Amino acid sequence: MEYTTLGNTGTTVSKLCFGTWRFGMESDGTVETDREEAHELLDACWDHGVNFIDTANVYGDPNGKSERWIGEWLADRDDIDREDLVVASKVYFPFDGRGEPGPNDSGLGRKHIRAQIEGTLERLGTDYLDLYYIHRWDEDTPIEETMQTLTELVREGKVHYLGASSMAAWKLTKALWTSDAEGLERFDVTQPMFNAADTDDVSDYLDVCADQDIAVCPYSPLAGGFLTGKYERADDGTVIAPDGARGSLTDLFEDRYTSDTAWEVLEAVEAVADEIDATPAQVSLRWLMEQDQVTCVPIVGARTTDQLEENVGAVDLELSDEQFERIDAARGPADGGYR
């Protein structure tokens, strides 16, 4: 495993982060990853040198199950010290882990953040989080209140660093300006959806991160599995998915990941993979790792230990400048932005 400093922080993480959003999650009645499988995956992460684990208070059915399973796994592993792991969680969405969410069981107000950090720490069985993300931007709470509350958590030792998930570039800039103007802690890590097949233009967002030396930990780095090459395009333009694959589990898959541009990107990724004796998934992950404007640590959500081992193999690859640029060219830009 290779390791890198997480942006402008003093914390060192593996070049891949393991995402646990599938832990205990049900899709159309199917549990994507059960407790035993979750612990096997966490064991495999440790064996491969992955020290960076990503979760959220709302992962699992009911919410909180992912955090609880991680905490139980760590408690069962006498050979692993909490200090050897970098653990991230999130707050914002309605939390149903104690029943039907009430009026203060969502958002980024002081009351909800305070309640959720205590629940998260209890479920994980730890005194602190290494990284605490706001899961989304809260239109109803002043950013000053949110940043003041998060700053309190840092100064109390319950959180080491702050992160922000998906939001517009101007909102991230507003939050950073507020922190600087008010003498508050600022975001050091972001978590946007970013992958080679993504047709949304995130260049403005990444420009902010680069300028402010903010680490980027993209979720869905393989475009929901599209960039593994396991999907085929039918004559009518629809996607043919293997049984049990994401494309057969969620209706949003085709709309989100399978544009005409995405198929062009996949073709370029597969060509590069053939050239360097790698898999499309490994090439796609390496393309993210080699983003030179920011520290980029992709969050992988492997469903099996074999998938995780394949993902980890991306660490051993190296793309030539021509190969990197060929993939980049396939995704755009066109007409002033990515297609």
Side-chain angles (χ1 to χ4, degrees):
M1 179 53 62
E2 292 180 7
Y3 297 88
T4 185
T5 302
L6 191 61
N8 200 33
T9 77
T11 295
T12 299
V13 298
S14 48
K15 294 283 292 246
L16 288 174
C17 176
F18 181 62
T20 64
W21 71 279
R22 285 196 180 101
F23 285 13
M25 182 179 75
E26 293 188 14
S27 298
D28 298 329
T30 300
V31 177
E32 295 211 16
T33 302
D34 63 26
R35 184 179 183 276
E36 181 178 354
E37 292 168 333
H39 285 194
E40 288 176 353
L41 284 163
L42 290 168
D43 284 339
C45 283
W46 181 253
D47 291 342
H48 286 294
V50 176
N51 72 337
F52 193 7
I53 299 174
D54 180 88
T55 187
N57 63 331
V58 293
Y59 290 172
D61 297 312
N63 297 161
K65 186 173 287 186
S66 174
E67 291 177 330
R68 191 174 304 281
W69 287 358
I70 294 169
E72 291 169 352
W73 169 77
L74 184 57
D76 289 342
R77 289 292 302 257
D78 294 335
D79 59 324
I80 303 176
D81 193 293
R82 167 67 182 90
E83 295 302 321
D84 294 328
L85 295 175
V86 178
V87 181
S89 193
K90 310 178 189 72
V91 61
Y92 168 74
F93 287 112
F95 179 81
D96 69 9
R98 59 185 184 87
E100 185 69 22
N104 287 301
D105 286 333
S106 65
L108 297 176
R110 179 172 279 106
K111 184 174 179 64
H112 185 235
I113 291 175
R114 281 287 184 178
Q116 290 307 308
I117 189 62
E118 296 302 331
T120 286
L121 295 178
E122 179 182 2
R123 288 185 292 273
L124 287 169
T126 184
D127 295 328
Y128 69 94
L129 283 178
D130 296 281
L131 176 60
Y132 203 29
Y133 289 99
I134 61 169
H135 215 153
R136 292 293 186 271
W137 182 270
D138 186 352
E139 300 287 356
D140 298 320
T141 302
I143 190 61
E144 291 84 357
E145 177 178 336
T146 298
M147 300 312 299
Q148 286 170 357
T149 305
L150 294 173
T151 295
E152 292 166 5
L153 299 185
V154 172
R155 295 176 182 175
E156 292 168 10
K158 294 181 178 180
V159 173
H160 285 169
Y161 300 106
L162 304 179
S165 191
S166 298
M167 65 178 65
W170 72 264
K171 293 179 179 178
L172 176 59
T173 302
K174 180 178 179 179
L176 294 170
W177 180 88
T178 299
S179 293
D180 291 346
E182 301 293 334
L184 303 172
E185 298 292 327
R186 66 200 321 261
F187 294 127
D188 288 304
V189 186
T190 59
Q191 190 177 128
M193 188 174 81
F194 176 40
N195 57 66
D198 186 13
T199 55
D200 290 334
D201 186 359
V202 295
S203 57
D204 287 349
Y205 190 91
L206 296 179
D207 284 345
V208 175
C209 294
D211 180 71
Q212 297 295 306
D213 198 11
I214 296 173
V216 176
C217 296
Y219 72 92
S220 197
L222 298 178
F226 176 78
L227 286 171
T228 65
K230 64 185 177 183
Y231 297 98
E232 298 180 10
R233 196 178 198 183
D235 292 339
D236 62 359
T238 58
V239 179
I240 302 173
D243 290 342
R246 185 86 55 79
S248 64
L249 289 174
T250 61
D251 295 333
L252 293 175
F253 183 87
E254 291 188 40
D255 291 338
R256 177 176 291 178
Y257 298 121
T258 57
S259 65
D260 289 340
T261 299
W263 288 107
E264 294 178 23
V265 170
L266 178 59
E267 184 178 348
V269 166
E270 290 177 327
V272 171
D274 287 341
E275 293 166 7
I276 62 175
D277 192 24
T279 68
Q282 292 170 335
V283 170
S284 300
L285 291 171
R286 191 69 207 185
W287 181 85
L288 286 170
M289 292 180 197
E290 293 189 6
Q291 298 293 311
D292 59 4
Q293 73 272 41
V294 294
T295 302
C296 190
V297 180
I299 301 173
V300 295
R303 297 176 66 180
T304 68
T305 55
D306 287 342
Q307 287 179 354
L308 180 63
E309 184 173 2
E310 178 187 357
N311 293 165
V312 170
V315 173
D316 298 323
L317 302 183
E318 184 174 347
L319 304 183
S320 69
D321 291 343
E322 186 275 334
Q323 289 167 334
F324 181 94
E325 291 167 2
R326 198 190 321 160
I327 295 170
D328 212 38
R331 50 191 312 267
D335 300 324
Y338 289 108
R339 292 173 292 167

